[in-house]
Amino acid sequence: MHEAASGDSQPGALRRQLGLSDAVVIGLGSMVGAGIFAALGPAARAAGSALLPALGIAALVAYCNATSSARLAARFPASGGTYVYGRARLGEFWGFLAGWGFVVGKTASCAAMALTVGAYVWPGREHAVAVAAVLVLTAVNYAGVQKSALLTRLIVTVVLAVLASVVIAVAVSVGTSSGPAWSDRLALGDGVTPGGVLEAAGLLFFAFAGYARIATLGEEVRDPQRTIPRAVPLALGIALAVYAAVSVAVLAALGPLGLAEATAPLADAARAADAEWLVPVTRVGAAVAALGSLLALILGVSRTTLAMARDRNLPHGLSAVHPRFQVPHRAELAVGAVVAVAAATVDLREAIGFSSFTVLAYYAVTNASARTLTPAEGRPPRIVPLAGLAGCALLAFALPTASVVAGSAVLGAGALFYGVRGLTQHRGA
Protein backbone atom coordinates (compact mmCIF):
# COMPACT_ATOMS: atom_id res chain seq x y z
CA MET A 1 0.00 0.00 0.00
CA HIS A 2 0.99 3.63 0.41
CA GLU A 3 1.91 3.42 4.08
CA ALA A 4 4.83 5.54 5.06
CA ALA A 5 5.15 6.75 1.53
CA SER A 6 7.66 9.46 1.36
CA GLY A 7 6.51 10.82 -1.95
CA ASP A 8 9.87 11.71 -3.39
CA SER A 9 11.36 8.26 -2.83
CA GLN A 10 8.96 6.48 -5.17
CA PRO A 11 9.19 6.48 -8.97
CA GLY A 12 6.51 8.72 -10.44
CA ALA A 13 5.85 10.42 -7.10
CA LEU A 14 4.97 14.08 -6.79
CA ARG A 15 7.44 16.57 -5.37
CA ARG A 16 6.95 17.85 -1.82
CA GLN A 17 6.70 21.61 -2.31
CA LEU A 18 3.95 22.85 0.05
CA GLY A 19 4.79 24.27 3.47
CA LEU A 20 2.46 24.95 6.39
CA SER A 21 1.17 28.30 5.14
CA ASP A 22 0.60 26.88 1.64
CA ALA A 23 -1.43 23.97 3.04
CA VAL A 24 -3.51 26.27 5.27
CA VAL A 25 -4.23 28.63 2.36
CA ILE A 26 -5.28 25.77 0.06
CA GLY A 27 -7.64 24.53 2.78
CA LEU A 28 -9.06 28.03 3.25
CA GLY A 29 -9.46 28.45 -0.50
CA SER A 30 -11.68 25.37 -0.48
CA MET A 31 -13.67 26.29 2.63
CA VAL A 32 -14.10 30.05 2.33
CA GLY A 33 -15.53 29.72 -1.16
CA ALA A 34 -18.75 30.54 -2.92
CA GLY A 35 -20.77 28.68 -0.28
CA ILE A 36 -20.51 31.55 2.19
CA PHE A 37 -22.27 33.80 -0.34
CA ALA A 38 -25.09 31.34 -1.09
CA ALA A 39 -25.48 28.67 1.62
CA LEU A 40 -26.75 30.87 4.44
CA GLY A 41 -30.15 31.51 2.83
CA PRO A 42 -31.11 27.84 2.27
CA ALA A 43 -29.73 26.95 5.72
CA ALA A 44 -31.86 29.67 7.33
CA ARG A 45 -34.94 28.40 5.48
CA ALA A 46 -34.36 24.97 7.01
CA ALA A 47 -33.27 25.98 10.53
CA GLY A 48 -35.06 29.30 11.01
CA SER A 49 -33.67 31.14 13.99
CA ALA A 50 -31.49 28.11 14.87
CA LEU A 51 -28.96 28.88 12.14
CA LEU A 52 -26.11 29.33 14.61
CA PRO A 53 -26.75 26.01 16.42
CA ALA A 54 -26.86 24.34 12.98
CA LEU A 55 -23.50 25.93 12.18
CA GLY A 56 -22.16 24.58 15.46
CA ILE A 57 -23.30 21.03 14.62
CA ALA A 58 -21.73 21.27 11.17
CA ALA A 59 -18.49 22.52 12.71
CA LEU A 60 -18.45 19.69 15.26
CA VAL A 61 -18.84 17.01 12.58
CA ALA A 62 -16.23 18.80 10.47
CA TYR A 63 -13.83 18.84 13.43
CA CYS A 64 -14.17 15.08 13.90
CA ASN A 65 -13.69 14.45 10.19
CA ALA A 66 -10.75 16.86 10.04
CA THR A 67 -9.02 15.22 12.99
CA SER A 68 -9.45 11.76 11.48
CA SER A 69 -8.25 13.02 8.09
CA ALA A 70 -5.19 14.70 9.57
CA ARG A 71 -4.09 11.62 11.56
CA LEU A 72 -4.53 9.37 8.51
CA ALA A 73 -2.80 11.82 6.17
CA ALA A 74 0.20 11.95 8.49
CA ARG A 75 0.33 8.14 8.44
CA PHE A 76 -0.30 7.82 4.68
CA PRO A 77 1.17 10.98 3.09
CA ALA A 78 0.22 10.09 -0.49
CA SER A 79 -2.11 11.62 -3.06
CA GLY A 80 -5.68 10.36 -2.95
CA GLY A 81 -6.93 11.06 0.57
CA THR A 82 -9.60 8.66 1.82
CA TYR A 83 -9.25 6.49 -1.28
CA VAL A 84 -5.78 5.58 0.02
CA TYR A 85 -6.81 5.34 3.69
CA GLY A 86 -9.83 3.15 3.00
CA ARG A 87 -7.82 0.70 0.91
CA ALA A 88 -5.07 0.47 3.52
CA ARG A 89 -7.25 0.18 6.63
CA LEU A 90 -10.62 -1.27 5.55
CA GLY A 91 -9.96 -3.07 2.29
CA GLU A 92 -9.88 -2.30 -1.42
CA PHE A 93 -13.66 -2.07 -1.85
CA TRP A 94 -14.17 0.67 0.74
CA GLY A 95 -11.29 2.69 -0.63
CA PHE A 96 -12.63 2.32 -4.14
CA LEU A 97 -16.15 3.35 -3.09
CA ALA A 98 -14.81 6.45 -1.33
CA GLY A 99 -12.68 7.40 -4.34
CA TRP A 100 -15.53 6.74 -6.78
CA GLY A 101 -17.98 8.87 -4.81
CA PHE A 102 -15.43 11.67 -4.50
CA VAL A 103 -14.41 11.74 -8.17
CA VAL A 104 -17.96 11.50 -9.56
CA GLY A 105 -19.54 13.85 -7.03
CA LYS A 106 -16.79 16.45 -7.08
CA THR A 107 -16.52 16.42 -10.88
CA ALA A 108 -20.17 17.45 -10.97
CA SER A 109 -19.40 20.05 -8.30
CA CYS A 110 -16.57 21.40 -10.49
CA ALA A 111 -18.97 21.95 -13.38
CA ALA A 112 -21.54 23.55 -11.09
CA MET A 113 -18.93 25.86 -9.55
CA ALA A 114 -17.68 26.85 -13.00
CA LEU A 115 -21.23 27.81 -13.97
CA THR A 116 -21.52 29.77 -10.74
CA VAL A 117 -18.46 31.76 -11.80
CA GLY A 118 -20.11 32.36 -15.16
CA ALA A 119 -23.37 33.50 -13.59
CA TYR A 120 -21.55 36.11 -11.50
CA VAL A 121 -19.16 37.33 -14.21
CA TRP A 122 -21.44 37.43 -17.27
CA PRO A 123 -25.12 36.53 -16.75
CA GLY A 124 -26.51 35.08 -19.94
CA ARG A 125 -23.10 33.77 -21.03
CA GLU A 126 -22.55 31.42 -18.10
CA HIS A 127 -21.46 28.43 -20.15
CA ALA A 128 -18.81 30.30 -22.14
CA VAL A 129 -17.33 31.91 -19.03
CA ALA A 130 -17.46 28.57 -17.19
CA VAL A 131 -15.45 26.80 -19.89
CA ALA A 132 -12.91 29.64 -19.97
CA ALA A 133 -12.53 29.49 -16.18
CA VAL A 134 -11.94 25.72 -16.27
CA LEU A 135 -9.33 26.03 -19.02
CA VAL A 136 -7.46 28.83 -17.26
CA LEU A 137 -7.41 27.08 -13.87
CA THR A 138 -6.40 23.77 -15.44
CA ALA A 139 -3.47 25.59 -17.04
CA VAL A 140 -2.50 27.10 -13.67
CA ASN A 141 -2.60 23.67 -12.02
CA TYR A 142 -0.59 22.19 -14.90
CA ALA A 143 2.18 24.74 -14.27
CA GLY A 144 2.79 23.33 -10.78
CA VAL A 145 1.16 23.15 -7.38
CA GLN A 146 3.14 26.18 -6.17
CA LYS A 147 1.45 28.29 -8.86
CA SER A 148 -1.91 26.99 -7.64
CA ALA A 149 -1.02 27.84 -4.04
CA LEU A 150 0.05 31.36 -5.04
CA LEU A 151 -3.20 32.02 -6.92
CA THR A 152 -5.20 30.57 -4.03
CA ARG A 153 -3.42 32.91 -1.61
CA LEU A 154 -4.48 35.91 -3.73
CA ILE A 155 -8.06 34.64 -3.97
CA VAL A 156 -8.35 34.02 -0.22
CA THR A 157 -7.03 37.52 0.52
CA VAL A 158 -9.66 39.14 -1.73
CA VAL A 159 -12.53 37.03 -0.35
CA LEU A 160 -11.60 37.63 3.30
CA ALA A 161 -11.35 41.38 2.63
CA VAL A 162 -14.85 41.40 1.13
CA LEU A 163 -16.32 39.39 4.00
CA ALA A 164 -14.62 41.58 6.60
CA SER A 165 -16.03 44.70 4.89
CA VAL A 166 -19.59 43.33 5.12
CA VAL A 167 -19.18 42.30 8.76
CA ILE A 168 -17.75 45.70 9.73
CA ALA A 169 -20.46 47.60 7.82
CA VAL A 170 -23.21 45.61 9.56
CA ALA A 171 -21.56 46.02 12.98
CA VAL A 172 -21.37 49.80 12.52
CA SER A 173 -24.98 49.95 11.32
CA VAL A 174 -26.33 47.76 14.13
CA GLY A 175 -24.35 49.72 16.71
CA THR A 176 -25.91 53.01 15.63
CA SER A 177 -29.40 51.75 14.78
CA SER A 178 -32.48 52.45 16.83
CA GLY A 179 -34.28 49.46 15.33
CA PRO A 180 -34.76 45.98 16.88
CA ALA A 181 -31.90 44.88 19.10
CA TRP A 182 -29.47 42.59 17.28
CA SER A 183 -29.69 40.13 20.17
CA ASP A 184 -33.41 39.67 19.48
CA ARG A 185 -32.65 38.63 15.90
CA LEU A 186 -30.11 36.07 17.10
CA ALA A 187 -32.41 34.54 19.74
CA LEU A 188 -34.16 31.22 19.10
CA GLY A 189 -37.75 31.70 18.02
CA ASP A 190 -40.76 29.54 17.22
CA GLY A 191 -40.89 26.97 14.45
CA VAL A 192 -37.48 25.42 15.05
CA THR A 193 -37.46 21.64 14.48
CA PRO A 194 -34.67 19.09 14.99
CA GLY A 195 -35.05 17.93 11.39
CA GLY A 196 -34.71 21.48 10.10
CA VAL A 197 -31.61 22.10 12.20
CA LEU A 198 -29.98 18.88 10.93
CA GLU A 199 -30.85 19.71 7.32
CA ALA A 200 -29.27 23.14 7.76
CA ALA A 201 -26.21 21.54 9.36
CA GLY A 202 -25.94 19.24 6.35
CA LEU A 203 -26.05 22.25 4.01
CA LEU A 204 -23.49 24.18 6.05
CA PHE A 205 -21.19 21.18 6.53
CA PHE A 206 -19.92 21.47 2.99
CA ALA A 207 -18.61 24.92 3.72
CA PHE A 208 -16.01 23.14 5.89
CA ALA A 209 -15.26 20.21 3.61
CA GLY A 210 -12.21 21.84 2.03
CA TYR A 211 -9.82 20.69 4.77
CA ALA A 212 -9.77 17.36 2.92
CA ARG A 213 -7.93 19.09 0.10
CA ILE A 214 -4.90 19.30 2.39
CA ALA A 215 -5.02 15.55 2.96
CA THR A 216 -5.66 14.81 -0.71
CA LEU A 217 -2.49 16.73 -1.56
CA GLY A 218 -0.54 14.86 1.12
CA GLU A 219 2.12 13.70 -1.33
CA GLU A 220 3.02 17.32 -2.12
CA VAL A 221 3.30 18.58 1.48
CA ARG A 222 6.74 18.95 3.05
CA ASP A 223 7.25 17.07 6.35
CA PRO A 224 3.65 15.72 6.19
CA GLN A 225 3.73 14.00 9.60
CA ARG A 226 4.22 17.42 11.17
CA THR A 227 2.65 19.81 8.67
CA ILE A 228 -0.71 18.17 7.94
CA PRO A 229 -1.87 17.70 11.58
CA ARG A 230 -1.10 21.41 12.12
CA ALA A 231 -2.53 22.72 8.83
CA VAL A 232 -5.92 20.98 8.99
CA PRO A 233 -7.12 22.35 12.37
CA LEU A 234 -5.64 25.78 11.59
CA ALA A 235 -7.56 26.04 8.31
CA LEU A 236 -10.74 24.68 9.90
CA GLY A 237 -10.49 27.06 12.88
CA ILE A 238 -10.02 30.13 10.68
CA ALA A 239 -12.90 29.07 8.42
CA LEU A 240 -15.19 28.52 11.42
CA ALA A 241 -14.36 31.98 12.80
CA VAL A 242 -15.12 33.55 9.42
CA TYR A 243 -18.41 31.67 8.99
CA ALA A 244 -19.52 32.48 12.53
CA ALA A 245 -18.76 36.19 12.12
CA VAL A 246 -20.56 36.39 8.77
CA SER A 247 -23.55 34.38 10.04
CA VAL A 248 -23.96 36.65 13.08
CA ALA A 249 -23.67 39.72 10.84
CA VAL A 250 -26.30 38.67 8.30
CA LEU A 251 -28.67 37.48 11.03
CA ALA A 252 -28.27 40.78 12.86
CA ALA A 253 -28.89 42.72 9.65
CA LEU A 254 -31.76 40.71 8.17
CA GLY A 255 -33.20 38.56 10.94
CA PRO A 256 -34.05 34.88 10.40
CA LEU A 257 -37.03 35.54 8.11
CA GLY A 258 -35.19 38.08 5.99
CA LEU A 259 -32.20 35.77 5.65
CA ALA A 260 -34.41 32.83 4.70
CA GLU A 261 -35.89 34.87 1.84
CA ALA A 262 -32.56 36.29 0.65
CA THR A 263 -31.10 35.07 -2.63
CA ALA A 264 -27.89 37.07 -2.10
CA PRO A 265 -27.58 37.30 1.71
CA LEU A 266 -24.36 39.31 1.88
CA ALA A 267 -25.55 41.86 -0.67
CA ASP A 268 -28.88 42.17 1.17
CA ALA A 269 -27.04 42.59 4.48
CA ALA A 270 -24.95 45.37 2.93
CA ARG A 271 -28.12 47.13 1.74
CA ALA A 272 -29.69 46.77 5.19
CA ALA A 273 -26.57 48.37 6.65
CA ASP A 274 -26.91 51.33 4.23
CA ALA A 275 -23.64 50.31 2.55
CA GLU A 276 -24.93 50.23 -1.02
CA TRP A 277 -21.36 50.56 -2.34
CA LEU A 278 -20.66 47.10 -0.96
CA VAL A 279 -23.32 45.39 -3.11
CA PRO A 280 -21.22 45.21 -6.31
CA VAL A 281 -18.17 44.40 -4.17
CA THR A 282 -19.94 41.32 -2.78
CA ARG A 283 -20.71 40.23 -6.34
CA VAL A 284 -17.02 40.44 -7.23
CA GLY A 285 -16.16 38.62 -4.00
CA ALA A 286 -18.60 35.83 -4.81
CA ALA A 287 -17.12 35.39 -8.29
CA VAL A 288 -13.57 35.29 -6.91
CA ALA A 289 -14.62 32.86 -4.15
CA ALA A 290 -16.22 30.56 -6.73
CA LEU A 291 -12.96 30.61 -8.70
CA GLY A 292 -11.07 29.63 -5.55
CA SER A 293 -13.45 26.75 -4.89
CA LEU A 294 -13.14 25.57 -8.49
CA LEU A 295 -9.34 25.70 -8.35
CA ALA A 296 -9.27 23.60 -5.17
CA LEU A 297 -11.85 21.15 -6.52
CA ILE A 298 -9.85 20.50 -9.68
CA LEU A 299 -6.73 19.95 -7.55
CA GLY A 300 -8.53 17.44 -5.32
CA VAL A 301 -10.24 15.48 -8.10
CA SER A 302 -7.04 15.22 -10.15
CA ARG A 303 -5.04 13.88 -7.19
CA THR A 304 -7.67 11.26 -6.34
CA THR A 305 -7.79 10.33 -10.04
CA LEU A 306 -3.99 9.93 -9.93
CA ALA A 307 -4.20 7.60 -6.93
CA MET A 308 -6.95 5.47 -8.49
CA ALA A 309 -5.05 5.29 -11.79
CA ARG A 310 -1.92 4.07 -9.98
CA ASP A 311 -3.96 1.10 -8.73
CA ARG A 312 -5.58 0.64 -12.17
CA ASN A 313 -9.03 1.48 -10.83
CA LEU A 314 -8.99 4.16 -13.53
CA PRO A 315 -6.95 4.06 -16.79
CA HIS A 316 -3.32 3.62 -15.76
CA GLY A 317 -2.13 6.28 -18.19
CA LEU A 318 -3.65 8.93 -15.92
CA SER A 319 -1.00 8.16 -13.30
CA ALA A 320 1.77 9.90 -15.25
CA VAL A 321 3.68 12.72 -13.51
CA HIS A 322 5.12 15.58 -15.55
CA PRO A 323 8.95 15.44 -15.37
CA ARG A 324 9.32 19.23 -15.15
CA PHE A 325 6.23 20.53 -13.35
CA GLN A 326 5.86 17.50 -11.06
CA VAL A 327 2.07 17.36 -11.37
CA PRO A 328 -0.26 14.55 -12.52
CA HIS A 329 -0.64 16.32 -15.86
CA ARG A 330 -2.71 13.68 -17.64
CA ALA A 331 -5.13 13.42 -14.74
CA GLU A 332 -5.41 17.21 -14.60
CA LEU A 333 -6.04 17.47 -18.34
CA ALA A 334 -8.61 14.66 -18.23
CA VAL A 335 -10.47 16.24 -15.29
CA GLY A 336 -10.33 19.67 -16.95
CA ALA A 337 -11.68 18.26 -20.21
CA VAL A 338 -14.58 16.43 -18.57
CA VAL A 339 -15.51 19.47 -16.47
CA ALA A 340 -15.25 21.82 -19.45
CA VAL A 341 -17.53 19.62 -21.57
CA ALA A 342 -20.04 19.31 -18.74
CA ALA A 343 -19.98 23.06 -18.07
CA ALA A 344 -20.47 23.78 -21.77
CA THR A 345 -23.45 21.48 -22.26
CA VAL A 346 -25.33 20.91 -18.99
CA ASP A 347 -26.43 23.12 -16.11
CA LEU A 348 -25.58 21.01 -13.08
CA ARG A 349 -26.18 23.70 -10.45
CA GLU A 350 -29.57 22.24 -9.58
CA ALA A 351 -28.59 18.61 -10.05
CA ILE A 352 -25.64 17.93 -7.78
CA GLY A 353 -27.43 17.07 -4.56
CA PHE A 354 -25.87 13.63 -4.84
CA SER A 355 -22.47 15.26 -4.31
CA SER A 356 -23.46 16.18 -0.75
CA PHE A 357 -24.43 12.60 0.02
CA THR A 358 -21.33 11.05 -1.57
CA VAL A 359 -18.98 13.42 0.26
CA LEU A 360 -20.55 12.48 3.60
CA ALA A 361 -20.10 8.81 2.64
CA TYR A 362 -16.46 9.64 1.82
CA TYR A 363 -15.93 11.06 5.31
CA ALA A 364 -17.73 8.12 6.88
CA VAL A 365 -15.02 5.90 5.36
CA THR A 366 -12.41 8.36 6.69
CA ASN A 367 -13.69 8.02 10.25
CA ALA A 368 -14.07 4.25 10.00
CA SER A 369 -10.44 4.10 8.79
CA ALA A 370 -9.23 6.31 11.64
CA ARG A 371 -10.86 3.97 14.17
CA THR A 372 -8.45 1.22 13.09
CA LEU A 373 -5.31 3.24 13.92
CA THR A 374 -3.35 2.17 16.97
CA PRO A 375 -2.02 4.63 19.57
CA ALA A 376 1.46 4.16 18.12
CA GLU A 377 0.07 5.17 14.71
CA GLY A 378 -1.38 8.41 16.06
CA ARG A 379 -4.97 7.30 16.65
CA PRO A 380 -7.22 10.19 17.74
CA PRO A 381 -9.34 9.82 20.91
CA ARG A 382 -11.84 7.03 20.22
CA ILE A 383 -14.85 9.34 20.56
CA VAL A 384 -13.65 11.49 17.64
CA PRO A 385 -13.99 8.99 14.75
CA LEU A 386 -17.10 7.48 16.34
CA ALA A 387 -18.77 10.89 16.59
CA GLY A 388 -17.61 11.74 13.08
CA LEU A 389 -19.02 8.50 11.67
CA ALA A 390 -22.36 8.99 13.43
CA GLY A 391 -22.48 12.64 12.41
CA CYS A 392 -21.84 11.84 8.75
CA ALA A 393 -24.63 9.24 8.72
CA LEU A 394 -27.03 11.60 10.50
CA LEU A 395 -26.37 14.55 8.19
CA ALA A 396 -26.40 12.38 5.05
CA PHE A 397 -29.90 11.08 5.71
CA ALA A 398 -31.13 14.49 6.87
CA LEU A 399 -30.51 15.82 3.35
CA PRO A 400 -33.49 16.20 0.97
CA THR A 401 -34.84 12.87 -0.28
CA ALA A 402 -33.77 13.55 -3.86
CA SER A 403 -30.15 14.02 -2.72
CA VAL A 404 -30.23 10.78 -0.72
CA VAL A 405 -31.69 8.80 -3.63
CA ALA A 406 -29.29 10.25 -6.22
CA GLY A 407 -26.27 9.85 -3.95
CA SER A 408 -27.19 6.26 -3.15
CA ALA A 409 -27.55 5.59 -6.89
CA VAL A 410 -24.05 6.96 -7.58
CA LEU A 411 -22.51 4.79 -4.85
CA GLY A 412 -24.55 1.81 -6.01
CA ALA A 413 -23.26 2.27 -9.56
CA GLY A 414 -19.71 2.36 -8.19
CA ALA A 415 -20.25 -0.84 -6.22
CA LEU A 416 -21.71 -2.53 -9.31
CA PHE A 417 -18.76 -1.41 -11.45
CA TYR A 418 -16.32 -2.73 -8.83
CA GLY A 419 -18.11 -6.09 -8.69
CA VAL A 420 -18.37 -6.53 -12.48
CA ARG A 421 -14.75 -5.53 -12.99
CA GLY A 422 -13.67 -8.00 -10.30
CA LEU A 423 -15.58 -10.84 -11.98
CA THR A 424 -14.10 -9.93 -15.36
CA GLN A 425 -10.56 -9.89 -13.99
CA HIS A 426 -11.14 -13.21 -12.18
CA ARG A 427 -12.36 -14.93 -15.33
CA GLY A 428 -9.48 -13.51 -17.35
CA ALA A 429 -6.88 -14.69 -14.83
Side-chain angles (χ1 to χ4, degrees):
M1 294 296 175
H2 301 277
E3 187 163 354
S6 64
D8 293 333
S9 64
Q10 296 183 349
L14 303 178
R15 183 184 300 153
R16 298 198 180 279
Q17 305 177 67
L18 301 175
L20 177 62
S21 64
D22 296 321
V24 170
V25 166
I26 287 174
L28 282 176
S30 305
M31 286 185 274
V32 187
I36 187 66
F37 293 88
L40 295 176
R45 285 193 288 276
S49 58
L51 177 66
L52 294 180
L55 181 66
I57 294 171
L60 179 62
V61 176
Y63 169 78
C64 294
N65 295 347
T67 301
S68 293
S69 295
R71 300 297 179 89
L72 287 161
R75 182 66 179 167
F76 302 95
S79 291
T82 298
Y83 166 75
V84 173
Y85 317 149
R87 280 173 58 89
R89 308 303 301 200
L90 303 177
E92 290 189 7
F93 171 75
W94 294 107
F96 174 86
L97 198 64
W100 170 275
F102 184 87
V103 170
V104 174
K106 289 299 187 180
T107 298
S109 294
C110 285
M113 196 56 63
L115 287 165
T116 300
V117 174
Y120 279 117
V121 172
W122 195 353
R125 294 289 186 271
E126 293 94 341
H127 291 281
V129 175
V131 172
V134 171
L135 295 179
V136 170
L137 295 183
T138 299
V140 171
N141 285 341
Y142 194 101
V145 72
Q146 282 285 9
K147 301 290 192 304
S148 302
L150 181 62
L151 180 57
T152 302
R153 193 180 299 272
L154 176 61
I155 289 171
V156 167
T157 301
V158 171
V159 174
L160 290 180
V162 171
L163 296 178
S165 299
V166 174
V167 170
I168 291 170
V170 170
V172 170
S173 174
V174 168
T176 59
S177 173
S178 58
W182 65 269
S183 56
D184 293 341
R185 291 178 170 174
L186 299 181
L188 289 179
D190 297 330
V192 175
T193 64
V197 173
L198 288 176
E199 182 178 341
L203 294 169
L204 292 169
F205 168 80
F206 300 99
F208 299 110
Y211 52 76
R213 215 67 67 244
I214 301 170
T216 305
L217 296 169
E219 194 171 316
E220 294 160 274
V221 175
R222 295 195 300 268
D223 190 10
Q225 286 81 4
R226 176 178 169 82
T227 301
I228 294 175
R230 295 170 65 196
V232 169
L234 268 174
L236 179 61
I238 295 170
L240 174 59
V242 170
Y243 268 83
V246 173
S247 298
V248 169
V250 294
L251 273 176
L254 304 175
L257 292 178
L259 178 55
E261 296 171 358
T263 55
L266 272 77
D268 291 349
R271 287 193 186 94
D274 294 323
E276 194 70 29
W277 65 272
L278 265 177
V279 174
V281 173
T282 62
R283 187 178 187 87
V284 172
V288 172
L291 276 173
S293 295
L294 177 58
L295 176 63
L297 281 168
I298 294 173
L299 275 172
V301 175
S302 63
R303 269 54 179 183
T304 303
T305 299
L306 165 69
M308 296 183 74
R310 283 172 169 170
D311 296 319
R312 301 184 185 275
N313 285 314
L314 288 175
H316 188 63
L318 297 176
S319 66
V321 174
H322 196 283
R324 176 185 173 190
F325 299 121
Q326 289 294 297
V327 296
H329 58 295
R330 291 181 185 172
E332 288 185 339
L333 291 175
V335 171
V338 171
V339 173
V341 169
T345 56
V346 183
D347 192 339
L348 290 172
R349 283 172 291 179
E350 301 299 326
I352 60 165
F354 70 84
S355 178
S356 302
F357 188 88
T358 57
V359 170
L360 281 163
Y362 176 90
Y363 284 117
V365 174
T366 303
N367 284 296
S369 300
R371 280 197 69 239
T372 68
L373 293 173
T374 65
E377 294 173 315
R379 184 184 68 202
R382 288 187 181 275
I383 188 62
V384 170
L386 286 173
L389 185 58
C392 286
L394 192 62
L395 295 186
F397 289 99
L399 290 168
T401 302
S403 298
V404 175
V405 171
S408 299
V410 168
L411 295 179
L416 180 63
F417 173 79
Y418 183 88
V420 170
R421 192 200 58 175
L423 286 174
T424 302
Q425 291 177 340
H426 179 72
R427 288 174 180 173

